[in-house]
Amino acid sequence: MAASGQMERSSHSMDKSIILPPDEIFRNLENAKRFAIDIGGSLTKLAYYSTVQHKVAKVRSFDHTGKEAVDEPLYEISVQEEVTARLHFIKFENAYIETCLDFIKDHLVNTETKVIKATGGGAYKFKDLIEKKLRLKVDKEDEMSCLIKGCNFVLKNIPHEAFVYVKHADPEFRFQTTQPDIFPYLLVNIGSGVSIVKVESEDKFERIGGSSIGGGTFWGLGALLTNTKVKFDELLQLASRGQHASVDMLVKDIYGGGYSCLGLTGDLIASSFGKSATEDREFSKADMAKSLLHMISNDIGQLACLYAKLHNLSRVYFGGFFIRGHPVTMHTITYSINFFTKGEVQALFLRHEGYLGAIGAFLKGAEEDNPNQYSWGENYAGSSGLMSVSPELYPMQRTRSGTFDMLEMDRLDRQLVNLPLLLDASSYIPDTVDLTEDAMAREYWLSCFEEALDGVVSRAVASQPDLTDAKERAEKFSQKYQHKLKTLRQQPFAYGSLTVRSLLDTREHCLNEFNFPDPYSKIKQMENDWALKFFHKVVKSLESLNWDERQFSLVKGLLAGNVFDWGAKAVSDILVTDPDFGFEEAKRQLQERPWLIDTYNKWIERLKGPPHKCALFFVDNSGIDIILGVFPLVRELLCRGTEVILASNSGPALNDVTYSELQILTERIAAMDSVIQSGVQKEQLILVQSGSSSPCLDLSRLDKGLATVVRERHTDLVIIEGMGRAIHTNFYAALSCESLKLAVIKNSWLADRFGGKIFSVVFKYEQPSK
């Protein structure tokens, strides 16, 4: 990429109002291919595919043949380069299209693309300019089919894509959990006119209605009424300052109040512009613009309701240039939908509505890569996020220029699906607390992550002692994550619902951005080596106990193992200051029974019955947790005749054990223990990857292979371990089979919220309601 100084000397320098350097906007252009562009009346949306080279930490087992393995490290760690796919979407004003195309042309190096897919009303207008600048043939795609394709894509791949708008709330956005099956739905696209489309599947949709009264009507009539040639956004801003009741005739203007027998309130509009016919006075431009906006929005809302009822559809998404994330527009449409359906249908808006056409056009040009066979995830490190539409609530907007907006999505190695054992996948919400709505919790956790940042930076640098630029990259990571936290403090809704999970995931994305793929890899290696030396001792101790004592000792061991969590500051402080803190010390830290949440007796009664057929066990930390806590319980389940599926992270997060590490650990423990060895050989013990690279757990986005094994094995018990997986997420998750959620609360604030103290125990055994 060219340095910013070189850009300033270029004859095609970017406009001075663009604050971000262009190479921070158009990223990875050297590997870009398969461009698509959607050009509207005032905004251009560009999409392209690129490959991104980044570092990954790999583990490889040492060959211990003929050696005393106990004295040798279990495995070696190497950092390797890996190439992954990324989608880039950039939105900017049409005024900058020429300079942006120049920058792209100057930085395209290896692209083999000969054609650029284009959609939108402006595609024809700028066709010659695009072909001249980029030397690519413009291939125009149908606008409506691109919108549908793009809408399907974001609804399937971005969990908090859809939201309802609540005026004067703090925050204004209420995000909806994406349904497992997104079809059918109604898309009301409000451009110059209105198109109403029923979408039944990926490739089946039908325009079932529409109206000529849309955004163009508002703009055109607004210009005539106000006698000014204003831009569309200026007209919206004018409307936001107006009082429609000055122009509109209300129910109370006719009846002196509400019309209760018909259920009409006094403030309801009886006649749009009704007062202009009877009152001999001048009306303000703002009031007329507001009245016009209400009239058109109410008309569209009623039309949408009628079609939704006619086709029995409960999900109605609104998009198009008329929406633009503008609060008055969203509020009037929401009010109209609520009024006409009596709250049975919600008006849903989309975080990335502006990109739908570009995404759809891109997908049409990338069908040979079959992008729909993968799952994609939003890269928080490279995406701008949603900005507030109410400056009075969030006056400190992002310091960067609003000229550009970015969305980046990374291709995941696998398809992600729902856990088949969710009782009702459509109502499942992973996160226990929504920080977007809980201001007190939000402030605490944002401060908590800010205070922990220096420690994360130190750990990142220490993980790469041989790389001279580690300190510089760690400082860049710190700056980027600090900026994200600052944004989230002012705009907690920027990436959907703000949760502890999203804060952790954003941090992991930023670490990866600056090539810190696994800052805890060496700590995990050391702790795994150490814990293995005590495995035999723990097993022998358990075997010497009677059945009741052994069950309690197994649970206590699992809980003690879960104490060893580097993601919890209270624990990491202990582990740094007291390197000798071990398994027995952790047991002594645990809360005595009765625990904070204690259904242990119910669990024991269940164990006296027939064995479970198959247990799915979501594991947590490396070292003592997995080796001395989890494996002894796995061993007990196998002895009872229960098959076990051990599910671990696909990629690294904090000191959580990864799938590749778990494979090596299991192989080593099997060589030490006949029960584990037999379980592996007879395929009664199976290892799977969860598809996650997070300390938390979203049961609606799991590896498809895991879901297949769960179904095939007729799994009837799910065990979820750890504070991130069983408290921050899934505490309220309802499953169709028995479940066991265990964790030690290692955060005093969180413990206080639950009514306990630090190192309080959560032991939550649940049976499905019959």
Side-chain angles (χ1 to χ4, degrees), residues 639-676:
C639 289
R640 279 176 57 82
T642 300
E643 296 176 352
V644 179
I645 304 167
L646 280 185
S648 54
N649 269 9
S650 299
L654 296 172
N655 65 315
D656 293 356
V657 64
T658 63
Y659 177 69
S660 56
E661 291 162 350
L662 184 60
Q663 286 178 304
I664 295 170
L665 289 175
T666 305
E667 180 186 336
R668 179 62 183 279
I669 291 172
M672 299 164 62
D673 185 90
S674 60
V675 175
I676 300 297

Side-chain angles (χ1 to χ4, degrees), residues 638 643 674-686 713:
L638 290 171
E643 296 176 352
S674 60
V675 175
I676 300 297
Q677 185 178 62
S678 174
V680 172
Q681 289 173 347
K682 295 178 180 178
E683 295 187 344
Q684 293 166 336
L685 174 58
I686 305 163
R713 298 280 170 148

Side-chain angles (χ1 to χ4, degrees), residues 591 594-600 731 754 761-765:
Q591 175 192 17
W595 294 322
L596 182 62
I597 296 176
D598 192 339
T599 53
Y600 176 76
F731 187 75
F754 273 86
V761 168
V762 170
F763 187 97
K764 196 177 185 188
Y765 169 64

Side-chain angles (χ1 to χ4, degrees), residues 148-421:
I148 300 301
K149 236 180 183 11
C151 192
N152 292 342
F153 184 83
V154 295
L155 287 174
K156 284 193 301 182
N157 289 285
I158 302 179
H160 289 160
E161 175 62 27
F163 63 89
V164 296
Y165 178 72
V166 185
K167 188 180 180 182
H168 298 317
D170 183 9
E172 316 100 304
F173 306 95
R174 296 286 185 272
F175 292 94
Q176 308 293 295
T177 303
T178 301
Q179 303 288 317
D181 185 2
I182 64 172
F183 306 109
Y185 65 85
L186 200 68
L187 178 63
V188 181
N189 192 63
I190 314 169
S192 297
V194 180
S195 287
I196 299 177
V197 185
K198 179 183 179 182
V199 185
E200 296 183 76
S201 69
E202 193 67 48
D203 301 307
K204 186 180 179 183
F205 62 90
E206 177 189 2
R207 186 183 188 277
I208 56 175
S211 172
S212 61
I213 301 172
T217 314
F218 173 68
W219 198 355
L221 274 179
L224 290 171
L225 285 167
T226 61
N227 200 27
T228 52
K229 291 295 181 184
V230 293
K231 291 182 179 178
F232 187 84
D233 285 323
E234 290 171 348
L235 189 60
L236 281 174
Q237 289 301 325
L238 185 66
S240 69
R241 298 193 295 271
Q243 299 294 325
H244 76 95
S246 300
V247 182
D248 293 338
M249 186 176 290
L250 309 182
V251 170
K252 65 184 177 184
D253 294 324
I254 302 173
Y255 298 105
Y259 201 147
S260 56
C261 65
L262 293 181
L264 304 177
T265 64
D267 291 326
L268 196 68
I269 299 172
S271 174
S272 295
F273 289 91
K275 288 179 182 174
S276 62
T278 58
E279 296 186 14
D280 186 18
R281 63 181 177 88
E282 289 291 319
F283 296 95
S284 79
K285 293 179 179 181
D287 292 348
M288 288 190 290
K290 184 66 166 285
S291 175
L292 180 62
L293 183 61
H294 272 284
M295 182 181 80
I296 291 171
S297 297
N298 283 328
D299 182 64
I300 293 169
Q302 184 174 24
L303 196 61
C305 289
L306 291 171
Y307 278 104
K309 285 186 174 181
L310 184 64
H311 292 269
N312 196 28
L313 297 171
S314 60
R315 280 172 279 181
V316 183
Y317 298 103
F318 289 85
F321 90 91
F322 182 66
I323 303 293
R324 308 290 280 267
H326 195 274
V328 177
T329 310
M330 291 193 294
H331 172 65
T332 51
I333 286 176
T334 298
Y335 180 87
S336 176
I337 291 286
N338 287 340
F339 178 79
F340 289 116
T341 69
K342 295 181 172 58
E344 292 177 6
V345 175
Q346 284 185 317
L348 294 165
F349 305 96
L350 301 171
R351 276 178 58 209
H352 300 101
E353 183 278 323
Y355 290 116
L356 301 187
I359 292 171
F362 169 81
L363 292 172
K364 287 199 167 194
E367 285 171 348
E368 65 186 74
D369 285 339
N370 206 358
N372 276 320
Q373 75 178 1
Y374 302 98
S375 289
W376 299 79
E378 184 174 3
N379 174 25
Y380 297 140
S383 297
S384 303
L386 194 64
M387 295 182 74
S388 173
V389 294
S390 296
E392 66 275 12
L393 285 176
Y394 295 98
M396 195 188 110
Q397 290 295 327
R398 210 180 273 105
T399 53
R400 70 174 184 84
S401 167
T403 305
F404 285 89
D405 184 81
M406 290 86 73
L407 165 65
E408 289 184 359
M409 298 189 72
D410 289 327
R411 190 179 77 189
L412 309 176
D413 294 332
R414 52 198 55 82
Q415 279 189 290
L416 301 182
V417 298
N418 286 293
L419 177 68
L421 300 172

Side-chain angles (χ1 to χ4, degrees), residues 487-518:
T487 297
L488 291 167
R489 195 177 286 280
Q490 296 298 324
Q491 297 146 227
F493 43 77
Y495 300 101
S497 291
L498 180 65
T499 62
V500 173
R501 175 168 61 104
S502 68
L503 286 169
L504 285 163
D505 290 350
T506 303
R507 190 168 71 184
E508 293 297 324
H509 291 182
C510 291
L511 281 166
N512 284 321
E513 184 77 11
F514 295 98
N515 277 322
F516 292 106
D518 193 355

Side-chain angles (χ1 to χ4, degrees), residues 696-723:
C696 297
L697 181 64
D698 182 352
L699 297 177
S700 68
R701 285 174 68 81
L702 294 177
D703 188 287
K704 190 176 181 180
L706 181 153
T708 301
V709 173
V710 163
R711 274 192 295 264
E712 289 174 349
R713 298 280 170 148
H714 304 289
T715 302
D716 54 355
L717 172 65
V718 174
I719 303 174
I720 305 177
E721 178 214 7
M723 199 163 75

Side-chain angles (χ1 to χ4, degrees), residues 90-129:
I90 300 107
K91 182 165 59 180
F92 53 90
E93 295 167 20
N94 287 354
Y96 300 105
I97 189 168
E98 189 160 358
T99 48
C100 288
L101 291 174
D102 280 331
F103 183 82
I104 293 166
K105 179 193 70 175
D106 292 343
H107 292 81
L108 283 179
V109 179
N110 300 317
T111 184
E112 299 170 1
T113 301
K114 303 298 180 190
V115 174
I116 182 169
K117 293 287 185 180
T119 190
Y124 176 79
K125 177 182 176 182
F126 290 100
K127 178 177 181 291
D128 292 342
L129 177 66

